[in-house]
Amino acid sequence: MNFKIITLPETQTEVSLHRDCIEDGKEIVRISAFVINSVGVELMLERVAEFRDAGTARLFVDDYSERSAKGFLGQCIEEEGIRVGYLAKPFMESC
């Protein structure tokens, strides 16, 4: 699998995964989501994971779950210090 979108039911936030190959031949998966912060500004959250081969990257995308998406979103929000408007408490507590 090369692409996947997971919609988190609590917030309707979409977390997308996209497998790609960068110029030096490394396989990557981009994980991204758009969130609206507490002052109404839309922000794009993104992380890139590198893999040694295409098969491993495909398996990562295929196995990625709603639980993984919640963890990604919660970690990004915490690392970036983002106050998200639609979450009354920290995301990880609501998972």
Side-chain angles (χ1 to χ4, degrees):
M1 183 175 280
N2 296 319
F3 185 84
K4 181 185 259 186
I5 296 175
I6 297 173
T7 303
L8 301 177
E10 300 86 359
T11 60
Q12 294 303 302
T13 303
E14 293 181 342
V15 176
S16 68
L17 289 88
H18 176 252
R19 188 184 72 80
D20 202 357
C21 183
I22 55 178
E23 62 270 352
D24 62 1
K26 289 183 182 173
E27 291 287 327
I28 62 167
V29 174
R30 293 184 191 282
I31 308 166
S32 57
F34 289 93
V35 297
I36 298 174
N37 69 10
S38 60
V39 294
V41 176
E42 185 174 53
L43 305 170
M44 180 178 165
L45 306 174
E46 182 176 72
R47 297 292 184 269
V48 176
E50 289 186 21
F51 298 89
R52 63 174 184 229
D53 59 56
T56 306
R58 274 191 221 98
L59 285 172
F60 177 83
V61 173
D62 190 44
D63 289 344
Y64 205 84
S65 67
E66 183 179 313
R67 182 175 178 188
S68 301
K70 287 178 182 179
F72 157 76
L73 191 59
Q75 185 177 27
C76 288
I77 288 170
E78 184 178 311
E79 285 175 6
E80 304 286 333
I82 298 168
R83 304 280 308 161
V84 179
Y86 52 78
L87 297 174
K89 57 185 176 179
F91 192 78
M92 294 307 286
E93 290 178 17
S94 66
C95 295

